[in-house]
Amino acid sequence: MSVTGEPLKHPLAERLSAGFDHRYREGFVVTQPGGIVMPAEFLLDAQRILDFPVKEDDVWLVTFPKSGTTWTQELVWLLMNDLDFKTAKEICITERFRYIERMSTLPKATRRGAPDTIQLAVDQPSPRLIKSHLPPALLPRQLWTVKPKIIYVARSPTDAATSYYYFNRLVHGISLSLDEFLECFLAGVVQFTPYWTSVLEFWNLRNEPNILWNTYEEMKQDLGAVIRKTAAFLGKSVTDEQLHQLEDHLSFTSMKANRATNCSDVLLSLRTSIGLPPPPSDQTFMREGKVGQAKLHMSPEMNCRFDRWIQENIRGTGYDGPV
Ligand code: PPS
């Protein structure tokens, strides 16, 4: 089976594209299978991802964007690397933990000089650590037969969508207002949406022995408990002292100050590649790091629309994750 894509046709898609200064020249498609929005050029890479050779000792991290991926990557990398805090402060997380479809998410001009992230994921020394935002139907088929460990992290869609807006403003200088972007998000015309595809499918898989379901909200509420749960899942043990070291290293303040986790260098080079100046100092990847804050940013009308949309999408699914 190969991956195909229908050109995305929606009045809001044009508005969104203009917000990105029409940088995604080839436009967007709705993938089949998967049914998510991706840049048209994703179709060039999709088959390689589906056919990606999976190893039993890989650790995969899957999320919808802006759900606590980087936070979890740092935790998993440390657990898998004997808590090597020194290297964790020296080498950027993007090099220690590979984002498989990254090259497919970039506008064409940026993609031209970008590394082949699928090959980088293949070539990593084992145990390989691989991140993806793709839903099950677009992930490597061997994940479902080889069954390596997979960690899924969910975050409230309101917070993830708002974080996604500020990320797009930071990286692409998107010219839409927050509410305009959120309207596109609800309409499912933003890259990787619909939000529910990945979240509900992994919710249904959450009791598989090789799958761990974590949430951003749990990490905020009791990071220590999530560290212990994740360590046990990965077959690692941590002493009380190590737990405290991890909590300190993984705090929002520490990760924001750490060049290897705050993504400032990566984002700067992305902006430069599309001709944007360095971001204003108040715009950073490590932005607020809070729960429920999005509701304060969006208009009351958008708040109500999100609430209705959440209820419509979880009705009858048994979903009990963060909303
Ligand atoms: S990405 O680009 O999809 O991988 O982004 P992702 O890492 O999933 O999400 C970025 C948001 O996670 C917040 N973050 C944290 N919050 C609390 N504590 C720690 N240590 C932490 N690290 C990252 C980051 O600030 C983004 O959320 P917002 O709401 O924008 O602040």
Side-chain angles (χ1 to χ4, degrees), residues 12 16 64-66 156-162 164-165 168 178-196 302 306 309:
L12 284 174
L16 185 66
F64 182 82
K66 312 300 146 204
S156 128
T158 352
D159 285 340
T162 304
Y164 207 0
Y165 168 70
N168 280 313
L178 172 63
D179 270 26
E180 283 171 329
F181 178 82
L182 294 177
E183 200 178 345
C184 295
F185 188 93
L186 290 181
V189 300
V190 174
Q191 190 168 173
F192 289 110
T193 63
Y195 167 88
W196 297 105
M302 189 52 77
F306 254 88
W309 171 83

Short mmCIF file of all heavy atoms in Angstrom, two decimals, residues 12 16 64-66 156-162 164-165 168 178-196 302 306 309:
data_model
loop_
_atom_site.label_atom_id
_atom_site.label_comp_id
_atom_site.label_asym_id
_atom_site.label_seq_id
_atom_site.Cartn_x
_atom_site.Cartn_y
_atom_site.Cartn_z
N LEU A 12 -10.19 28.15 4.35
CA LEU A 12 -9.24 28.57 5.39
C LEU A 12 -7.80 28.17 5.05
O LEU A 12 -6.85 28.76 5.57
CB LEU A 12 -9.63 27.96 6.73
CG LEU A 12 -10.82 28.62 7.43
CD1 LEU A 12 -11.20 27.83 8.68
CD2 LEU A 12 -10.49 30.07 7.81
N LEU A 16 -4.50 30.42 5.62
CA LEU A 16 -3.35 29.94 6.39
C LEU A 16 -2.08 30.04 5.55
O LEU A 16 -1.03 30.48 6.02
CB LEU A 16 -3.59 28.49 6.83
CG LEU A 16 -2.54 27.88 7.74
CD1 LEU A 16 -2.51 28.57 9.09
CD2 LEU A 16 -2.78 26.40 7.94
N PHE A 64 1.22 14.55 19.33
CA PHE A 64 0.78 15.64 18.47
C PHE A 64 1.73 16.80 18.79
O PHE A 64 2.15 16.93 19.96
CB PHE A 64 -0.69 16.01 18.79
CG PHE A 64 -1.19 17.09 17.88
CD1 PHE A 64 -1.65 16.77 16.61
CD2 PHE A 64 -1.12 18.42 18.25
CE1 PHE A 64 -2.04 17.77 15.73
CE2 PHE A 64 -1.51 19.43 17.38
CZ PHE A 64 -1.97 19.11 16.11
N PRO A 65 2.10 17.64 17.79
CA PRO A 65 3.06 18.72 18.09
C PRO A 65 2.66 19.54 19.32
O PRO A 65 1.47 19.74 19.59
CB PRO A 65 3.00 19.60 16.82
CG PRO A 65 2.60 18.65 15.73
CD PRO A 65 1.70 17.64 16.37
N LYS A 66 3.67 19.97 20.03
CA LYS A 66 3.53 20.89 21.18
C LYS A 66 2.88 20.24 22.40
O LYS A 66 2.21 20.88 23.19
CB LYS A 66 2.73 22.17 20.83
CG LYS A 66 3.18 22.83 19.58
CD LYS A 66 4.62 23.25 19.66
CE LYS A 66 5.25 23.12 18.30
NZ LYS A 66 6.68 22.95 18.35
N SER A 156 -3.60 18.76 26.43
CA SER A 156 -4.89 19.38 26.11
C SER A 156 -4.81 20.07 24.74
O SER A 156 -3.84 20.78 24.47
CB SER A 156 -5.24 20.40 27.20
OG SER A 156 -5.55 21.64 26.63
N PRO A 157 -5.83 19.86 23.89
CA PRO A 157 -5.76 20.46 22.55
C PRO A 157 -5.73 21.98 22.59
O PRO A 157 -5.12 22.61 21.72
CB PRO A 157 -7.04 19.95 21.85
CG PRO A 157 -7.94 19.47 22.94
CD PRO A 157 -7.05 19.06 24.08
N THR A 158 -6.36 22.58 23.58
CA THR A 158 -6.36 24.05 23.66
C THR A 158 -4.93 24.55 23.89
O THR A 158 -4.48 25.48 23.23
CB THR A 158 -7.24 24.53 24.85
OG1 THR A 158 -7.94 23.43 25.38
CG2 THR A 158 -8.15 25.61 24.46
N ASP A 159 -4.23 23.91 24.82
CA ASP A 159 -2.86 24.34 25.11
C ASP A 159 -1.92 23.98 23.95
O ASP A 159 -1.05 24.77 23.59
CB ASP A 159 -2.35 23.70 26.41
CG ASP A 159 -2.97 24.35 27.65
OD1 ASP A 159 -3.47 25.49 27.54
OD2 ASP A 159 -2.97 23.73 28.73
N ALA A 160 -2.10 22.78 23.37
CA ALA A 160 -1.22 22.37 22.27
C ALA A 160 -1.43 23.31 21.07
O ALA A 160 -0.46 23.76 20.45
CB ALA A 160 -1.49 20.92 21.87
N ALA A 161 -2.69 23.62 20.76
CA ALA A 161 -2.97 24.48 19.59
C ALA A 161 -2.40 25.88 19.80
O ALA A 161 -1.83 26.48 18.88
CB ALA A 161 -4.48 24.55 19.35
N THR A 162 -2.53 26.39 21.00
CA THR A 162 -2.03 27.75 21.27
C THR A 162 -0.50 27.77 21.22
O THR A 162 0.11 28.67 20.63
CB THR A 162 -2.54 28.23 22.65
OG1 THR A 162 -3.96 28.14 22.62
CG2 THR A 162 -2.12 29.65 22.95
N TYR A 164 1.23 25.81 19.46
CA TYR A 164 1.55 25.62 18.04
C TYR A 164 1.51 26.97 17.31
O TYR A 164 2.33 27.25 16.45
CB TYR A 164 0.51 24.67 17.45
CG TYR A 164 0.93 23.84 16.26
CD1 TYR A 164 2.20 23.90 15.70
CD2 TYR A 164 0.01 22.95 15.68
CE1 TYR A 164 2.54 23.11 14.61
CE2 TYR A 164 0.35 22.16 14.59
CZ TYR A 164 1.61 22.25 14.06
OH TYR A 164 1.95 21.47 12.97
N TYR A 165 0.54 27.81 17.67
CA TYR A 165 0.45 29.14 17.05
C TYR A 165 1.72 29.94 17.35
O TYR A 165 2.35 30.49 16.45
CB TYR A 165 -0.78 29.89 17.57
CG TYR A 165 -0.74 31.35 17.19
CD1 TYR A 165 -0.92 31.75 15.86
CD2 TYR A 165 -0.46 32.35 18.14
CE1 TYR A 165 -0.85 33.09 15.49
CE2 TYR A 165 -0.39 33.69 17.77
CZ TYR A 165 -0.57 34.05 16.45
OH TYR A 165 -0.49 35.37 16.08
N ASN A 168 4.64 28.73 15.41
CA ASN A 168 4.63 29.14 14.01
C ASN A 168 4.96 30.62 13.86
O ASN A 168 5.53 31.03 12.85
CB ASN A 168 3.27 28.82 13.36
CG ASN A 168 3.20 27.35 12.97
OD1 ASN A 168 4.12 26.82 12.36
ND2 ASN A 168 2.13 26.68 13.34
N LEU A 178 -3.97 34.93 16.80
CA LEU A 178 -4.16 33.63 17.47
C LEU A 178 -5.52 33.04 17.11
O LEU A 178 -5.62 31.87 16.74
CB LEU A 178 -4.02 33.80 18.99
CG LEU A 178 -4.39 32.56 19.81
CD1 LEU A 178 -3.44 31.40 19.50
CD2 LEU A 178 -4.35 32.86 21.31
N ASP A 179 -6.57 33.83 17.20
CA ASP A 179 -7.91 33.30 16.91
C ASP A 179 -8.03 32.83 15.45
O ASP A 179 -8.67 31.82 15.18
CB ASP A 179 -8.99 34.34 17.22
CG ASP A 179 -9.48 34.22 18.67
OD1 ASP A 179 -8.69 33.74 19.52
OD2 ASP A 179 -10.63 34.60 18.95
N GLU A 180 -7.39 33.54 14.52
CA GLU A 180 -7.45 33.11 13.11
C GLU A 180 -6.76 31.75 12.96
O GLU A 180 -7.26 30.87 12.26
CB GLU A 180 -6.76 34.14 12.21
CG GLU A 180 -7.60 35.37 11.96
CD GLU A 180 -6.81 36.45 11.23
OE1 GLU A 180 -5.57 36.56 11.42
OE2 GLU A 180 -7.44 37.22 10.50
N PHE A 181 -5.61 31.60 13.62
CA PHE A 181 -4.90 30.32 13.54
C PHE A 181 -5.75 29.21 14.17
O PHE A 181 -5.85 28.11 13.62
CB PHE A 181 -3.54 30.42 14.25
CG PHE A 181 -2.77 29.13 14.24
CD1 PHE A 181 -2.01 28.75 13.13
CD2 PHE A 181 -2.81 28.26 15.34
CE1 PHE A 181 -1.30 27.54 13.12
CE2 PHE A 181 -2.11 27.05 15.34
CZ PHE A 181 -1.35 26.71 14.22
N LEU A 182 -6.36 29.52 15.31
CA LEU A 182 -7.15 28.49 16.01
C LEU A 182 -8.36 28.07 15.17
O LEU A 182 -8.77 26.91 15.19
CB LEU A 182 -7.58 28.98 17.39
CG LEU A 182 -6.42 29.21 18.37
CD1 LEU A 182 -6.93 29.76 19.69
CD2 LEU A 182 -5.63 27.92 18.61
N GLU A 183 -8.89 29.01 14.41
CA GLU A 183 -10.00 28.66 13.52
C GLU A 183 -9.52 27.64 12.47
O GLU A 183 -10.20 26.67 12.17
CB GLU A 183 -10.49 29.94 12.84
CG GLU A 183 -11.89 29.79 12.29
CD GLU A 183 -12.39 31.08 11.66
OE1 GLU A 183 -11.78 32.15 11.88
OE2 GLU A 183 -13.38 30.98 10.93
N CYS A 184 -8.32 27.87 11.95
CA CYS A 184 -7.73 26.92 10.99
C CYS A 184 -7.49 25.57 11.66
O CYS A 184 -7.68 24.51 11.06
CB CYS A 184 -6.42 27.46 10.44
SG CYS A 184 -6.61 28.96 9.48
N PHE A 185 -7.06 25.62 12.92
CA PHE A 185 -6.80 24.39 13.68
C PHE A 185 -8.09 23.59 13.82
O PHE A 185 -8.14 22.38 13.56
CB PHE A 185 -6.23 24.77 15.05
CG PHE A 185 -5.74 23.61 15.87
CD1 PHE A 185 -4.41 23.21 15.82
CD2 PHE A 185 -6.60 22.90 16.69
CE1 PHE A 185 -3.95 22.14 16.58
CE2 PHE A 185 -6.15 21.83 17.46
CZ PHE A 185 -4.82 21.45 17.40
N LEU A 186 -9.17 24.27 14.23
CA LEU A 186 -10.45 23.57 14.41
C LEU A 186 -10.96 23.01 13.08
O LEU A 186 -11.59 21.96 13.05
CB LEU A 186 -11.50 24.52 15.00
CG LEU A 186 -11.30 24.96 16.45
CD1 LEU A 186 -12.43 25.87 16.90
CD2 LEU A 186 -11.20 23.76 17.38
N ALA A 187 -10.68 23.74 12.00
CA ALA A 187 -11.15 23.28 10.68
C ALA A 187 -10.29 22.14 10.15
O ALA A 187 -10.61 21.52 9.13
CB ALA A 187 -11.12 24.45 9.70
N GLY A 188 -9.17 21.85 10.83
CA GLY A 188 -8.31 20.74 10.40
C GLY A 188 -7.54 21.05 9.13
O GLY A 188 -7.38 20.17 8.28
N VAL A 189 -7.05 22.29 9.00
CA VAL A 189 -6.24 22.59 7.81
C VAL A 189 -4.78 22.88 8.17
O VAL A 189 -3.97 23.22 7.31
CB VAL A 189 -6.84 23.77 6.98
CG1 VAL A 189 -8.24 23.44 6.50
CG2 VAL A 189 -6.83 25.09 7.75
N VAL A 190 -4.45 22.75 9.45
CA VAL A 190 -3.08 22.99 9.91
C VAL A 190 -2.28 21.68 9.81
O VAL A 190 -2.84 20.60 10.00
CB VAL A 190 -3.11 23.48 11.39
CG1 VAL A 190 -1.71 23.60 11.97
CG2 VAL A 190 -3.87 24.81 11.50
N GLN A 191 -0.99 21.81 9.53
CA GLN A 191 -0.11 20.64 9.42
C GLN A 191 -0.28 19.71 10.65
O GLN A 191 -0.31 20.19 11.78
CB GLN A 191 1.34 21.11 9.32
CG GLN A 191 2.28 20.00 8.96
CD GLN A 191 3.69 20.49 8.57
OE1 GLN A 191 4.57 19.70 8.39
NE2 GLN A 191 3.91 21.76 8.41
N PHE A 192 -0.42 18.42 10.40
CA PHE A 192 -0.59 17.34 11.40
C PHE A 192 -2.01 17.24 11.98
O PHE A 192 -2.28 16.35 12.76
CB PHE A 192 0.40 17.45 12.57
CG PHE A 192 1.82 17.13 12.22
CD1 PHE A 192 2.79 18.12 12.19
CD2 PHE A 192 2.20 15.83 11.88
CE1 PHE A 192 4.10 17.84 11.85
CE2 PHE A 192 3.51 15.53 11.54
CZ PHE A 192 4.46 16.54 11.53
N THR A 193 -2.90 18.21 11.65
CA THR A 193 -4.27 18.06 12.14
C THR A 193 -5.03 17.11 11.20
O THR A 193 -4.58 16.89 10.08
CB THR A 193 -5.01 19.41 12.23
OG1 THR A 193 -5.13 19.97 10.93
CG2 THR A 193 -4.30 20.37 13.17
N PRO A 194 -6.16 16.54 11.61
CA PRO A 194 -6.89 16.75 12.85
C PRO A 194 -6.16 16.23 14.09
O PRO A 194 -5.59 15.13 14.08
CB PRO A 194 -8.19 15.94 12.66
CG PRO A 194 -8.24 15.55 11.22
CD PRO A 194 -6.86 15.61 10.69
N TYR A 195 -6.23 17.02 15.14
CA TYR A 195 -5.62 16.68 16.42
C TYR A 195 -6.04 15.29 16.89
O TYR A 195 -5.23 14.52 17.40
CB TYR A 195 -6.05 17.75 17.44
CG TYR A 195 -5.77 17.41 18.88
CD1 TYR A 195 -4.55 17.74 19.47
CD2 TYR A 195 -6.74 16.79 19.67
CE1 TYR A 195 -4.30 17.43 20.80
CE2 TYR A 195 -6.49 16.49 21.00
CZ TYR A 195 -5.27 16.80 21.56
OH TYR A 195 -5.03 16.50 22.86
N TRP A 196 -7.34 14.96 16.73
CA TRP A 196 -7.87 13.75 17.37
C TRP A 196 -7.39 12.46 16.72
O TRP A 196 -7.45 11.40 17.34
CB TRP A 196 -9.41 13.79 17.37
CG TRP A 196 -9.89 14.93 18.19
CD1 TRP A 196 -10.41 16.11 17.73
CD2 TRP A 196 -9.86 15.04 19.63
NE1 TRP A 196 -10.70 16.94 18.79
CE2 TRP A 196 -10.38 16.31 19.96
CE3 TRP A 196 -9.44 14.20 20.65
CZ2 TRP A 196 -10.49 16.75 21.28
CZ3 TRP A 196 -9.55 14.64 21.96
CH2 TRP A 196 -10.07 15.90 22.26
N MET A 302 -13.84 31.89 21.03
CA MET A 302 -13.01 30.76 20.62
C MET A 302 -12.95 29.70 21.71
O MET A 302 -12.95 28.51 21.44
CB MET A 302 -11.60 31.28 20.26
CG MET A 302 -10.71 30.25 19.61
SD MET A 302 -11.43 29.42 18.16
CE MET A 302 -11.28 30.64 16.88
N PHE A 306 -13.93 25.85 21.14
CA PHE A 306 -13.05 24.73 21.49
C PHE A 306 -13.79 23.74 22.38
O PHE A 306 -13.72 22.52 22.18
CB PHE A 306 -11.78 25.23 22.19
CG PHE A 306 -10.57 25.16 21.30
CD1 PHE A 306 -10.27 26.22 20.46
CD2 PHE A 306 -9.76 24.04 21.28
CE1 PHE A 306 -9.17 26.16 19.60
CE2 PHE A 306 -8.66 23.97 20.43
CZ PHE A 306 -8.36 25.02 19.60
N TRP A 309 -16.18 21.72 20.32
CA TRP A 309 -15.43 20.84 19.41
C TRP A 309 -14.85 19.64 20.18
O TRP A 309 -14.88 18.51 19.71
CB TRP A 309 -14.35 21.70 18.76
CG TRP A 309 -13.30 21.01 17.94
CD1 TRP A 309 -13.39 20.61 16.64
CD2 TRP A 309 -11.96 20.68 18.35
NE1 TRP A 309 -12.21 20.07 16.22
CE2 TRP A 309 -11.32 20.11 17.24
CE3 TRP A 309 -11.24 20.84 19.53
CZ2 TRP A 309 -9.98 19.67 17.28
CZ3 TRP A 309 -9.92 20.40 19.58
CH2 TRP A 309 -9.31 19.83 18.46
#
